[in-house]
């Protein structure tokens, strides 16, 4: 900083203000400092700055699975929230493994991140609560009762209810649900489906699956082997739905002519013209922004109890649902 100040012909204090993006600096001085910094190859020492301010202005983000487009898409909302509050994101993935998630959390703690956001984590609640003893922690996409951990969740039961209501309105009664296995939110979606079916005095059918295309293909294979095949399928997420769609197509079934199909998450590929998947939209931008806001409130000391944010899903009707053949 002394070298930059000398080259720019300003004080060291003014260089510090420029590097902290202070509004108290004139445009002329800002340009002079940034030009000198670029010429000298200078970058602020984040660790040194954090020693003085006790903040690194970084948030660690752990995504459950980079192969599922839902997770990178929700990162967009988190990034928007981080930008709004002047934070930078450090990103890692759990790769569907609790042990990898644990290592990612430990790395962020070692790097002195000001807060950590976990999206769809598989870590035990005890491990998440332990991290929250050091920094603010927010979990997205998984209900959690740890007192020091804030959560942001979609109303999974409401989303499942929207699916059942939509399919019933088209005339379907034999509806199967491909569940999400151990995935975050899968239990709640499954329970919401069962409750919605039973509320209409219909027998819920649940087929084992997971949040992957392979899981959807395997579940679709089991559905094809049923003697009384359902006329509609509600998949636990869009990847599962895409796997099921592929297997139904291989078997010569027309979607939605022979069987209707609904996903969950509304990832970008669901809207592609040749897929056009009916699905449930989670307000990912809002969820990400709420998570960052929760961390900022914790750091400001404005929280005296865990924050539990619930956002409302919505149904996006496209071309994979229609009346059952018997009703036409």
């Amino acid at each position: 900083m002394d070298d930059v100040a000398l080259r720019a012909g300003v004080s060291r204090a003014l260089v510090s203000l420029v590097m902290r993006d202070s509004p108290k600096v004139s445009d002329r001085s800002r340009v002079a400092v940034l030009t000198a910094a670029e010429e000298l190859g200078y970058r602020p020492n984040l660790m040194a700055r954090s020693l003085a301010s006790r903040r690194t202005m970084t948030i660690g983000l752990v995504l459950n699975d980079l192969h599922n487009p839902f997770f990178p898409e929700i990162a967009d909302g988190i990034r928007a929230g981080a930008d709004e509050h002047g934070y930078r994101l450090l990103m890692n993935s759990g790769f569907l493994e609790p042990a990898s998630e644990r290592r990612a959390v430990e790395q962020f703690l070692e790097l002195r991140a000001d807060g950590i956001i976990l999206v769809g984590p598989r870590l035990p609640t005890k491990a998440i609560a332990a991290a929250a003893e050091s920094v603010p922690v927010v979990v997205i996409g998984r209900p959690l009762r740890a007192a020091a951990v804030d959560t942001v969740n979609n109303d999974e039961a409401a989303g499942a209810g929207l699916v059942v209501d939509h399919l019933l309105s088209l005339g379907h009664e034999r509806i199967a649900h491909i569940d999400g296995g151990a995935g975050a939110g899968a239990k709640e979606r499954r329970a919401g489906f069962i409750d919605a079916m039973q509320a209409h005095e219909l027998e819920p059918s649940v087929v084992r699956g997971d949040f992957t295309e392979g899981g959807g293909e395997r579940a679709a294979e089991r559905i094809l082997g049923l003697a009384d095949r359902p006329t509609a399928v509600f998949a636990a997420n869009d990847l599962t739905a895409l796997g099921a769609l592929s297997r139904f197509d291989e078997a010569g079934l027309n979607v939605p002519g022979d069987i209707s199909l609904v996903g969950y998450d509304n990832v970008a590929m669901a809207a592609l013209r040749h897929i056009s998947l009916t699905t449930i939209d989670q307000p990912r931008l809002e969820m990400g922004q709420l998570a960052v806001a929760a961390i900022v409130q914790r750091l400001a000391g404005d929280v005296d109890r865990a924050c539990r944010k619930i956002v409302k899903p919505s149904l996006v009707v496209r071309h994979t649902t229609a009346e059952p053949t018997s009703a036409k």
Side-chain angles (χ1 to χ4, degrees):
M1 290 180 69
D2 289 333
D3 294 336
V4 173
L6 183 62
R7 174 69 67 94
V10 300
S11 68
R12 189 180 193 280
L14 194 142
V15 173
S16 178
L17 289 173
V18 171
M19 295 306 166
R20 287 188 281 115
D21 202 23
S22 170
K24 300 178 181 179
V25 180
S26 69
D27 290 342
R28 180 178 177 181
S29 295
R30 189 182 306 277
V31 169
V33 169
L34 293 177
T35 299
E38 183 176 358
E39 291 172 350
L40 294 170
Y42 169 81
R43 288 181 178 83
N45 187 320
L46 186 62
M47 295 309 294
R49 180 189 296 175
S50 69
L51 288 174
S53 66
R54 298 185 181 276
R55 296 280 175 85
T56 60
M57 298 308 294
T58 60
I59 293 174
L61 171 59
V62 184
L63 301 175
N64 175 275
D65 178 20
L66 293 181
H67 296 285
N68 185 339
F70 170 78
F71 292 101
E73 288 175 17
I74 203 168
D76 289 340
I78 296 169
R79 184 191 64 181
D83 289 347
E84 179 184 350
H85 293 283
Y87 281 86
R88 286 185 277 185
L89 281 183
L90 304 174
M91 295 178 61
N92 207 333
S93 175
F95 302 100
L96 296 174
E97 299 174 349
S100 294
E101 286 184 350
R102 190 185 301 273
R103 286 194 295 270
V105 169
E106 286 299 324
Q107 287 171 353
F108 290 145
L109 292 175
E110 291 170 2
L111 290 170
R112 300 295 189 266
D114 292 333
I116 298 175
I117 298 175
L118 303 169
V119 185
R122 299 194 175 193
L123 268 178
T125 299
K126 184 178 180 180
I128 297 173
E133 294 176 2
S134 300
V135 298
V137 174
V138 180
V139 170
I140 298 178
R142 172 179 156 189
L144 213 65
R145 293 302 172 192
V149 179
D150 299 320
T151 58
V152 179
N153 285 293
N154 176 69
D155 191 335
E156 308 290 10
L162 289 173
V163 173
V164 172
D165 288 346
H166 171 62
L167 292 173
L168 290 177
S169 73
L170 293 173
H172 295 278
E173 292 187 350
R174 296 199 314 276
I175 305 170
H177 174 55
I178 302 175
D179 81 0
K187 176 182 176 182
E188 290 72 27
R189 292 175 198 181
R190 180 172 60 248
F193 166 75
I194 293 172
D195 289 345
M197 291 289 286
Q198 291 178 341
H200 291 280
E201 299 183 347
L202 295 172
E203 184 66 27
S205 173
V206 177
V207 182
R208 186 175 70 257
D210 58 39
F211 279 162
T212 68
E213 290 178 77
E217 290 180 359
R218 291 187 292 273
E221 184 68 35
R222 287 189 284 272
I223 289 171
L224 290 170
L226 296 175
D228 193 17
R229 195 173 66 207
T231 61
V233 172
F234 164 37
N237 74 352
D238 289 346
L239 278 189
T240 304
L242 292 175
L245 181 64
S246 176
R247 184 64 192 93
F248 290 150
D249 182 65
E250 288 177 0
L253 290 185
N254 176 268
V255 176
D258 298 314
I259 190 167
S260 286
L261 180 64
V262 183
Y264 204 111
D265 287 342
N266 193 30
V267 300
M269 69 175 66
L272 294 176
R273 186 173 59 84
H274 67 287
I275 297 175
S276 193
L277 179 69
T278 295
T279 186
I280 293 295
D281 181 71
Q282 297 194 60
R284 298 180 289 283
L285 184 65
E286 179 186 359
M287 294 170 75
Q289 291 172 323
L290 286 171
V292 176
I295 284 179
V296 172
Q297 289 174 346
R298 284 270 181 185
L299 291 170
D302 296 336
V303 179
D304 57 4
R305 59 181 178 178
C307 176
R308 306 278 182 244
K309 294 291 186 180
I310 304 292
V311 299
K312 293 296 182 183
S314 59
L315 177 70
V316 181
V317 179
R318 296 194 179 100
H319 296 152
T320 57
T321 51
E323 294 180 358
T325 304
S326 59
K328 295 180 180 177

